[in-house]
């Protein structure tokens, strides 16, 4: 299993130098990157004909959804262009990021690229509904977004609808990695596993992941899946460092997930 780290503002306040040493090395190396220098990558193979190749640094797109401040279309595109220029080929997004805005911006940037040249992940669990401006989700957190509100729906039909809407906003016919954004205590992991497996069988999903799950929640979902999870995306901030100590980051070494990885590394930093 790969691990992507979801960083937010003021990430580093309470993290020790030892805990941040690996990230620091990556960021120092980033200062020396030059255009067209490809990053190191890892490979994950679910089946003989289904292999995903990740760059070790991925780009999270919540800021492209105008998280905390609005950025222009030109600014969003320039950010994506710079990530591509330095070799990044993994992009992570979600319906929640700008209420569909981030997915739409990623679409505009990637639609001219060869589909085999990048890995794209998005997330399930939020349906978006049009509402009057004063009723949209995220007022004061997301700025200048479409007037929509999020609806939590982790039912079979809800996840399938979320998948179809994401495919439409992203302008693609399949998602490389489909992640459950947050666990729903009212949704049984067996039903969640069933819809994910059906998405894989349809060809609309290539690999599976989770975001903001505890170790026990990951284990519960994995227990109902026939297909190994590919990615876990814990949130790390100055207010949340427990994933370093609760076993969440150690799960890449457990069960049968590690056997699917080829190469030296199995962690990925998403900035």
């Amino acid at each position: 299993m790969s691990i992507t780290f979801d960083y937010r503002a003021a990430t580093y306040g309470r993290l020790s130098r030892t805990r941040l040493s690996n990230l620091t090395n990556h960021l120092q190396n980033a200062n020396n990157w030059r255009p067209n220098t490809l990053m190191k990558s890892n490979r994950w193979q679910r089946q003989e004909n289904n292999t995903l190749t990740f760059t070790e640094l991925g780009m999270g797109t919540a800021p492209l959804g105008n998280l905390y401040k609005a950025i222009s279309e030109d600014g969003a595109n320039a950010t994506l262009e710079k990530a591509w220029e330095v070799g990044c080929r993994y992009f992570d997004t979600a319906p929640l990021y700008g209420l569909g805005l981030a997915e739409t911006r990623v679409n505009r940037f990637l639609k001219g690229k060869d589909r085999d040249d990048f890995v794209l992940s998005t997330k399930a669990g939020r349906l978006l509904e049009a509402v009057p401006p004063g009723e949209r989700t995220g007022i004061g957190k997301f700025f200048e977004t479409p007037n929509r509100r999020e609806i939590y729906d982790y039912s079979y039909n809800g996840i399938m609808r979320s998948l179809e809407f994401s495919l439409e906003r992203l302008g693609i016919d399949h998602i490389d990695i489909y992640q459950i954004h947050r666990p729903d205590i009212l949704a049984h992991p067996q039903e969640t596993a069933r819809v994910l497996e059906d998405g894989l069988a349809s060809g609309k999903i290539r690999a599976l992941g989770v975001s903001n799950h505890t170790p026990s929640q990951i284990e519960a979902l994995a227990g109902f899946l026939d297909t190994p999870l590919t990615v876990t995306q814990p949130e790390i901030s100055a207010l949340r460092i427990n994933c370093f100590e609760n076993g969440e980051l150690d799960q890449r070494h457990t069960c049968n997930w590690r056997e699917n990885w080829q190469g030296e590394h199995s962690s990925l930093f998403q900035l």
Side-chain angles (χ1 to χ4, degrees), residues 22 60 68 70 90 113 121 129 149 156-157 206-207 259 262:
N22 289 337
Y68 303 133
Y90 173 51
K113 306 288 191 288
S121 62
E129 177 182 67
R149 67 181 174 193
Y156 184 98
N157 289 336
R206 293 186 63 195
E259 297 173 3
Q262 302 175 4

Side-chain angles (χ1 to χ4, degrees), residues 113-127:
K113 306 288 191 288
D114 190 314
R115 185 63 183 87
D116 293 331
D117 285 348
F118 60 88
V119 170
L120 183 61
S121 62
T122 191
K123 304 177 183 72
R126 265 87 162 183
L127 294 174

Side-chain angles (χ1 to χ4, degrees), residues 172-210:
I172 54 179
D173 62 3
H174 69 274
I175 304 295
D176 294 307
I177 307 168
Y178 201 49
Q179 302 179 73
I180 300 300
H181 202 157
R182 290 184 181 273
D184 182 358
I185 61 173
L186 301 179
H188 198 288
Q190 184 174 24
E191 182 176 25
T192 303
R194 182 167 65 94
V195 65
L196 292 176
E197 293 286 1
D198 286 352
L200 287 167
S202 72
K204 295 178 180 179
I205 301 171
R206 293 186 63 195
L208 308 176
V210 293

Side-chain angles (χ1 to χ4, degrees), residues 12-65:
Y12 310 107
R14 290 172 53 196
L15 301 188
S16 70
R17 183 171 300 177
T18 299
R19 288 170 172 172
L20 281 173
S21 61
N22 289 337
L23 175 60
T24 301
N25 289 336
H26 278 276
L27 295 179
Q28 288 174 341
N29 289 336
N31 292 329
N32 297 321
W33 283 333
R34 295 295 181 267
N36 302 319
T37 299
L38 292 180
M39 300 179 189
K40 292 181 180 180
S41 61
N42 301 312
R43 297 176 64 225
W44 185 87
Q45 186 165 351
R46 182 169 70 88
Q47 296 173 341
E48 185 175 348
N49 61 347
N50 188 4
T51 300
L52 294 177
T53 300
F54 296 80
T55 48
E56 286 189 354
L57 283 173
M59 180 176 177
T61 61
L64 302 188

Side-chain angles (χ1 to χ4, degrees), residues 7 21 39 60 92 97-98 111 118 125 129 144 154 157 173 186 189 195 199 217 235 243 263 268:
Y7 289 93
S21 61
M39 300 179 189
D92 175 75
Y97 300 165
K111 68 180 179 181
F118 60 88
E129 177 182 67
E144 297 181 19
Y154 286 84
N157 289 336
D173 62 3
L186 301 179
V195 65
Q217 290 165 339
E235 180 181 351
C243 60
L268 178 150

Side-chain angles (χ1 to χ4, degrees), residues 64-94:
L64 302 188
N66 291 349
L67 177 64
Y68 303 133
K69 63 178 294 186
I71 61 174
S72 67
E73 293 296 328
D74 288 345
N77 194 68
T79 302
L80 290 163
E81 286 282 5
K82 179 57 67 174
W84 189 274
E85 179 182 317
V86 300
C88 179
R89 296 294 184 269
Y90 173 51
F91 300 88
D92 175 75
T93 189

